[in-house]
Amino acid sequence: MAAPSGVVSCEDFAEFQELLRVMRTIDDRIVHELNTTIPTASFVGKIDASQTCKELYQSLMDAHTSRERIIKNCIAQTSNVVKTLREEREKAQDDVALLKQLRKEQTKLKLMQSELNVEEVVNDRSWKVFGD
């Protein structure tokens, strides 16, 4: 699945996760995609399996690249927010609401960073299935 058009909002973590879930559909369906890509003996002459495999390969590459770009972009955005909040916190150490917001953003940042690990596992699994 290609990346959605437009700018991705990184403010709502649940929305961010939902976007990744939708974008990982191609990886979740890789076995099905391969089964429908490789023709049976009766369809060998009617379907160009080589071209279809190339297209599936390109789709996987595009999906992986798009998701990685989105994750890293959101990590960078959230890191900037955390940095700004830390600077504000240095100036106003008694502001409890500011501390709460800082902690919330730090937690969101850690969750986004963990998505890079999830992405690595998903990609590895897809390429293993594709290679087999």
Side-chain angles (χ1 to χ4, degrees), residues 1-2 6 12 17 23 40 51-53 55-57 61 63 68 80 89 91 97 103 106 113 117 126 128 131:
M1 174 175 220
D12 183 356
Q17 275 190 311
M23 290 181 74
T40 59
Q51 181 62 30
T52 309
C53 278
E55 290 170 4
L56 180 58
Y57 176 86
M61 286 294 295
E68 183 178 358
N80 287 336
R89 175 83 174 127
K91 297 173 188 167
R103 295 272 160 78
Q106 287 172 327
Q113 290 168 333
N117 296 330
S126 292
K128 183 179 184 307

Side-chain angles (χ1 to χ4, degrees), residues 74-93:
C74 284
I75 287 172
Q77 284 181 30
T78 306
S79 292
N80 287 336
V81 170
V82 167
K83 181 182 175 192
T84 302
L85 289 171
R86 278 188 182 143
E87 291 169 357
E88 290 176 21
R89 175 83 174 127
E90 290 295 319
K91 297 173 188 167
Q93 292 189 356

Side-chain angles (χ1 to χ4, degrees), residues 15-42:
E15 193 176 304
F16 169 78
Q17 275 190 311
E18 178 62 16
L19 173 66
L20 291 178
R21 185 190 66 74
V22 169
M23 290 181 74
R24 287 180 178 142
T25 302
I26 189 169
D27 293 271
D28 295 340
R29 296 179 40 107
I30 187 71
V31 172
H32 173 74
E33 292 291 331
L34 286 170
N35 286 339
T36 57
T37 298
I38 301 170
T40 59
S42 61

